[in-house]
Amino acid sequence: MNHAWKRLRAEGVDVWIDVSAAAGGAAREVRRALAQGEVAGARMGAPQGDPADGHATEIGRVCDQLLPRHRASGGTKGFVSVPLPAGPADGADAWAARARALRDEIDRPNLVVRVPAEAADTATLRALFALGVAVEVSGVCSPRRYGQAATALLSALSTPEGPTRTSSFLSFDVTGVERHVDARLDLIGSDEAKALRGRAGLACARLAHRTHEMTFSSARWGALAAAGTPEPKLLWVTGGASPYRSAHCVQELVTRGTATAMRPAAARALAEAGTVSGDRVWRHYADAERTLAYLNWFGISVESVTQTPGKPTEMAAPREDRPHVTTRPLRAPHQPHQPHQPHRRLTPA
């Protein structure tokens, strides 16, 4: 096991392998990752081409590779998350029917069905939990929406039949936020705007963690925990960036009780040049709030720019009381000239 992965484990972070971009070779990539170190889970993507063309077999292979870890951990690790296919109907019954079909086809205890956050209301989540299958709520891109998803999940964990004993996950798309916000900052183009590039994703992720801690430290959650309900785990997703940028985000989001999903290339980058040095979330809440305040100064709302992924969203109109854009909203400390560093160094892109 390499040093960086050892440190992640020591800090209480589970390492997942994100093979969403290479579902056809998922089993091979997971096997390679297992040779690197302890793997707590895998995220697979939607099938390319014909959904029936070997995709279920590949899912079964990945589940089998992680099944020993699942059994050894008492069912708390070794999961494989698979997205539920979209369909013409998106109600709770429709999602439950698709989940039931996938569960019956794969027939592995470590399968996790993945549902988008916009469809994960309390009724849908309860219908999924009733099947006895683990659930991941995915695609969350802002602290406010994370709070909404966490609240819906908390309500769904308490079913009319009693608290569920099924595992659940809430995944936050760190680099997805960063990509949308940085595009707006590039349109502004000033030095002050460019100074904020690469900061929005980490800031929103840290504030989402604060929301998670507040939600799952309430008296309502305490009653469920006392009944044996596993606490939902926050899963960082960083697959939308370059390998070294993704590895940098992994380093900056180390905190106990979370999981981080990396693509194989990012996992290799972390193994080659990664440095994990303690918790990087709890003490950075205030800095994260300042980052969002600076973005708001430029008329950029994280909620609006991430509302419709992949589609441009107009920025908010500048406030009349806002100073001219040549005024600096923040001043970076002076840094001495640094010599050229090799590409593999894990610094913000």
Side-chain angles (χ1 to χ4, degrees):
M1 184 184 297
N2 68 71
H3 176 71
W5 284 28
K6 281 184 179 180
R7 289 294 301 160
L8 286 174
R9 181 182 178 186
E11 295 292 341
V13 179
D14 290 342
V15 175
W16 286 43
I17 297 299
D18 190 341
V19 288
S20 59
R28 180 176 62 255
E29 293 290 359
V30 171
R31 190 182 308 112
R32 290 175 179 173
L34 286 168
Q36 287 284 329
E38 184 177 293
V39 176
R43 292 180 93 245
M44 296 184 66
Q48 303 296 321
D50 184 2
D53 188 17
H55 189 63
T57 302
E58 191 74 6
I59 295 172
R61 289 172 180 166
V62 175
C63 287
D64 289 341
Q65 287 180 339
L66 292 175
L67 194 55
R69 176 64 176 149
H70 185 72
R71 290 170 175 163
S73 66
T76 61
K77 302 183 190 298
F79 291 102
V80 179
S81 175
V82 180
L84 290 178
D90 288 329
D93 292 340
W95 284 109
R98 292 193 283 271
R100 184 183 299 106
L102 181 63
R103 180 201 64 183
D104 294 345
E105 183 176 20
I106 303 303
D107 193 25
R108 304 294 199 285
N110 55 338
L111 176 70
V112 179
V113 297
R114 190 157 78 240
V115 61
E118 58 269 20
D121 55 22
T122 299
T124 298
L125 292 173
R126 279 182 176 171
L128 296 176
F129 286 135
L131 299 174
V133 63
V135 177
E136 177 192 339
V137 179
S138 69
V140 181
C141 289
S142 76
R144 183 180 66 85
R145 289 177 192 167
Y146 192 92
Q148 293 173 342
T151 299
L153 185 55
L154 181 60
S155 298
L157 289 171
S158 179
T159 66
E161 293 76 24
T164 181
R165 301 295 179 90
T166 308
S167 297
S168 55
F169 305 87
L170 282 157
S171 59
F172 191 93
D173 187 0
V174 182
T175 51
V177 178
E178 190 172 279
R179 183 172 61 252
H180 288 294
V181 172
D182 284 359
R184 273 54 178 190
L185 292 170
D186 289 341
L187 288 176
I188 296 172
S190 67
D191 291 342
E192 294 82 4
K194 292 178 181 178
L196 289 170
R197 295 188 83 258
R199 294 177 58 176
L202 293 175
C204 289
R206 286 164 174 154
L207 294 179
H209 179 268
R210 183 176 66 178
T211 299
H212 182 96
E213 292 297 301
M214 292 174 62
T215 303
F216 296 104
S217 61
S218 63
R220 185 180 182 188
W221 164 250
L224 291 172
T229 301
E231 180 177 340
K233 180 158 287 190
L234 171 52
L235 174 64
W236 313 114
V237 178
T238 60
S242 67
Y244 287 94
R245 179 61 191 173
S246 176
H248 172 77
C249 291
V250 169
Q251 293 178 168
E252 291 297 309
L253 293 173
V254 172
T255 189
R256 186 166 298 277
T258 60
T260 185
M262 297 178 284
R263 289 185 178 174
R268 289 191 288 270
L270 186 69
E272 292 170 7
T275 302
V276 177
S277 56
D279 192 289
R280 299 286 296 166
V281 175
W282 281 88
R283 297 182 180 180
H284 293 271
Y285 292 154
D287 181 64
E289 289 181 334
R290 282 192 295 270
T291 296
L292 296 195
Y294 294 147
L295 292 173
N296 184 63
W297 187 90
F298 281 108
I300 299 176
S301 166
V302 172
E303 301 295 339
S304 64
V305 299
T306 61
Q307 185 173 6
T308 308
K311 295 180 67 176
T313 305
E314 293 184 3
M315 290 183 292
R319 298 197 308 265
E320 293 183 0
D321 63 340
R322 186 177 294 150
H324 192 267
V325 294
T326 56
T327 303
R328 294 182 182 273
L330 71 163
R331 184 179 300 275
H334 173 71
Q335 296 180 353
H337 174 71
Q338 297 290 334
H340 175 72
Q341 300 291 344
H343 174 68
R344 70 169 52 188
R345 192 170 180 83
L346 299 184
T347 53

